[in-house]
Amino acid sequence: MVSSQQRLVAEKLGIRKVVTVVGASMGGMQALQWAVSYPDMMDSVVPIIPLGRTPAWTTGVLEMLRQGIMADPRWNGGNYPSSQPPEQGMRLWSGWLSGVIVRTPGYQESLFPNSQDAIGYLKGVQDAGWRRMDAVDWIYQSWAYDRHNLGATPGFDGDYHRALKSIKAKTLILAGTGDLLNPEYEAMEAARFIPDVRYVAINEKLPMGHVSGAGISAPENELQNAEIARFLEAVTDRGRKIQ
Amino acid sequence: MVSSQQRLVAEKLGIRKVVTVVGASMGGMQALQWAVSYPDMMDSVVPIIPLGRTPAWTTGVLEMLRQGIMADPRWNGGNYPSSQPPEQGMRLWSGWLSGVIVRTPGYQESLFPNSQDAIGYLKGVQDAGWRRMDAVDWIYQSWAYDRHNLGATPGFDGDYHRALKSIKAKTLILAGTGDLLNPEYEAMEAARFIPDVRYVAINEKLPMGHVSGAGISAPENELQNAEIARFLEAVTDRGRKIQ
């Protein structure tokens, strides 16, 4: 999932070692993959709302999102002109993904005490978000998302736990409480096997789910900033190690 | 939501009093509505995986399901011949509703340790389930589901908690832990205000969500049967009151 990135960084940019690899969601999955694939290339990793391997729930959600796109007559096997994207399918994609699955029941209720307001909200999310990605691009990304499994990294023979135990980088996992895209129990399970790890649940008071890793509210931004700052201070010996 | 049922029972069948009103999911919502609308007509109610009022999350899920159906070119404003139902839309409906939302991440993982197996499973659910409902019928039911709120019962002026407090029937609520269609916190909140209530979470060990109320596994069937049997023994004074 990250080998082309690594070649870019190492071969083109000539960078042999980094202080940290940080990413959220699929970026968090990639941060973990970096740590397993290139254990000597970084001091630390900060996977945010990540997965170490993709569970059946997530694959099911992604499959339904793909089906919604592919049901659009404009999909046409992916051979649509860029001027005529599968708008209806991408509106379903945007509503389900950004409007429903990355959130939680309790968070929605806190935003919309009147349940009927969820309908206008969803339509706004769809208007704003359906063009955010190209449909073919997203579908290929989703297939990579589906198949993510650190145990499948060359050298580990499918042994997921051995892959996690091989991580040398100091690790800070920030997980989304109630996350319905990347279930938090997967992040917890990963943390049980990574040798040097700190695990922090974002928003334990109001579980916001996957969006809690996306900077959606001031308190969770502050929590993440404070945690990452403290972690990097330790990794870099208060900045001395990167001078 | 239940006035036509009540007229059938009372006026056509001539039944003036029942021992209990039982139902699951939308049936559980109706059981609570019976208890608020016709408080002297029953000794007890058993709402299973119910809602006392529908939250924004549920309305959002139902709206996306409706949109998936209506995006099918065969939908045609609901004017499709019965021989040509909106199959593609109903396949999305069946996959999302029966395959994803009524379950939980952990339950899916317990069934499919290999996440890619979720895809074949979903297709099986869709093949088996898409004809289960007529699309127009379901959409109208979903609008009623959306608007459910015990506080809207005539005489309560929108006061949800007063409606709950007015329930005279002994009440047994069976709620689905991790339920992503009818969130369990709504059932808990209802239980806080119903005067004579017992609240039981189904499957606390493996939260199965909404399907935990649907008789999907032997242990949760046994739990429900045992709880309901014990409850009805008390309501009927070991059967003496209905002789």
Side-chain angles (χ1 to χ4, degrees):
Chain A
M1 208 183 215
V2 298
S3 60
S4 58
Q5 295 172 12
Q6 192 272 344
R7 288 192 58 191
L8 175 70
V9 170
E11 296 174 21
K12 293 285 172 188
L13 305 179
I15 297 168
R16 296 290 161 182
K17 180 112 185 185
V18 297
V19 172
T20 197
V21 178
V22 187
S25 190
M26 199 172 185
M29 293 150 71
Q30 292 179 32
L32 284 172
Q33 188 65 62
W34 268 85
V36 173
S37 296
Y38 309 105
D40 298 314
M41 216 177 140
M42 75 285 291
D43 295 319
S44 66
V45 287
V46 185
I48 305 170
I49 49 171
L51 289 173
R53 61 182 167 191
T54 300
W57 171 268
T58 309
T59 295
V61 166
L62 297 177
E63 172 64 15
M64 291 311 304
L65 293 170
R66 286 189 290 262
Q67 286 192 19
I69 295 168
M70 292 180 179
D72 187 324
R74 281 206 196 163
W75 165 251
N76 188 28
N79 297 307
Y80 50 85
S82 61
S83 62
Q84 292 211 315
E87 176 176 345
Q88 214 163 37
M90 290 305 282
R91 283 185 177 274
L92 292 177
W93 169 85
S94 178
W96 273 115
L97 183 61
S98 304
V100 177
I101 289 294
V102 298
R103 293 154 188 269
T104 65
Y107 181 47
Q108 290 302 67
E109 189 150 358
S110 75
L111 297 174
F112 310 109
N114 175 7
S115 87
Q116 290 294 296
D117 292 341
I119 294 174
Y121 149 77
L122 276 175
K123 289 180 175 166
V125 166
Q126 293 176 298
D127 289 343
W130 76 269
R131 288 179 188 275
R132 193 162 58 84
M133 294 277 281
D134 172 68
V136 167
D137 182 2
W138 184 80
I139 281 177
Y140 274 86
Q141 286 194 37
S142 80
W143 281 328
Y145 207 112
D146 266 16
R147 284 162 181 73
H148 173 60
N149 184 341
L150 298 174
T153 309
F156 293 98
D157 295 322
D159 189 334
Y160 178 61
H161 294 140
R162 190 156 66 82
L164 289 166
K165 286 177 195 161
S166 76
I167 293 177
K168 294 180 180 175
K170 289 179 189 296
T171 304
L172 170 64
I173 292 180
L174 295 163
T177 307
D179 194 327
L180 292 172
L181 185 62
N182 289 358
E184 58 188 325
Y185 64 76
E186 287 288 354
M188 277 182 207
E189 166 84 353
R192 284 180 51 221
F193 291 89
I194 297 172
D196 185 349
V197 67
R198 174 169 164 74
Y199 176 93
V200 177
I202 308 168
N203 284 301
E204 293 199 87
K205 283 193 184 169
L206 175 60
M208 288 159 54
H210 199 64
V211 289
S212 68
I216 208 163
S217 77
E220 62 90 3
N221 264 345
E222 284 157 21
L223 183 150
Q224 291 198 58
N225 285 338
E227 284 290 345
I228 293 170
R230 197 179 315 141
F231 176 74
L232 290 179
E233 287 260 302
V235 168
T236 63
D237 192 17
R238 299 197 181 184
R240 277 193 286 273
K241 279 175 68 180
I242 50 172
Q243 280 166 359
Chain B
M1 210 183 214
V2 297
S3 60
S4 58
Q5 294 173 12
Q6 192 272 343
R7 286 191 59 191
L8 175 69
V9 170
E11 296 174 22
K12 292 286 172 187
L13 305 180
I15 296 168
R16 296 290 161 184
K17 182 114 184 181
V18 296
V19 172
T20 196
V21 177
V22 187
S25 191
M26 199 172 185
M29 294 151 70
Q30 293 179 33
L32 284 171
Q33 188 65 62
W34 269 85
V36 173
S37 296
Y38 309 104
D40 298 313
M41 216 176 141
M42 76 285 291
D43 294 318
S44 66
V45 287
V46 185
I48 304 171
I49 50 170
L51 289 173
R53 61 182 168 191
T54 301
W57 171 267
T58 308
T59 295
V61 166
L62 296 177
E63 172 64 15
M64 291 311 303
L65 293 170
R66 286 189 289 262
Q67 286 191 19
I69 295 169
M70 292 179 179
D72 187 326
R74 282 206 196 162
W75 165 250
N76 187 30
N79 297 307
Y80 50 85
S82 60
S83 61
Q84 293 211 316
E87 175 176 346
Q88 214 163 38
M90 290 306 282
R91 282 184 178 275
L92 291 176
W93 168 85
S94 178
W96 273 116
L97 183 61
S98 304
V100 178
I101 289 294
V102 298
R103 293 155 188 269
T104 65
Y107 181 45
Q108 292 302 68
E109 190 150 357
S110 74
L111 296 176
F112 310 108
N114 175 6
S115 87
Q116 290 293 297
D117 293 340
I119 295 174
Y121 149 77
L122 276 175
K123 289 180 177 167
V125 166
Q126 292 176 297
D127 288 343
W130 76 269
R131 288 179 188 274
R132 193 162 56 83
M133 293 276 283
D134 172 67
V136 167
D137 181 1
W138 183 79
I139 281 178
Y140 274 86
Q141 285 194 38
S142 80
W143 281 327
Y145 206 113
D146 266 15
R147 285 164 179 73
H148 173 59
N149 184 341
L150 298 173
T153 310
F156 293 98
D157 296 321
D159 188 335
Y160 178 61
H161 295 140
R162 191 156 65 82
L164 290 166
K165 287 177 195 160
S166 77
I167 293 177
K168 294 179 180 175
K170 289 178 190 297
T171 304
L172 170 64
I173 293 179
L174 294 163
T177 307
D179 194 329
L180 292 172
L181 185 63
N182 288 357
E184 58 189 323
Y185 64 76
E186 287 286 356
M188 277 182 206
E189 166 84 352
R192 284 181 51 222
F193 291 90
I194 297 172
D196 185 350
V197 68
R198 173 168 164 76
Y199 176 94
V200 176
I202 308 168
N203 284 301
E204 293 197 86
K205 283 192 183 170
L206 174 61
M208 289 159 54
H210 199 65
V211 289
S212 68
I216 208 163
S217 78
E220 60 91 4
N221 263 346
E222 284 158 20
L223 183 150
Q224 292 197 57
N225 284 338
E227 283 291 344
I228 294 171
R230 197 179 316 140
F231 176 74
L232 290 180
E233 288 260 302
V235 168
T236 63
D237 192 16
R238 301 198 179 182
R240 278 194 285 273
K241 279 175 70 181
I242 50 171
Q243 281 166 355

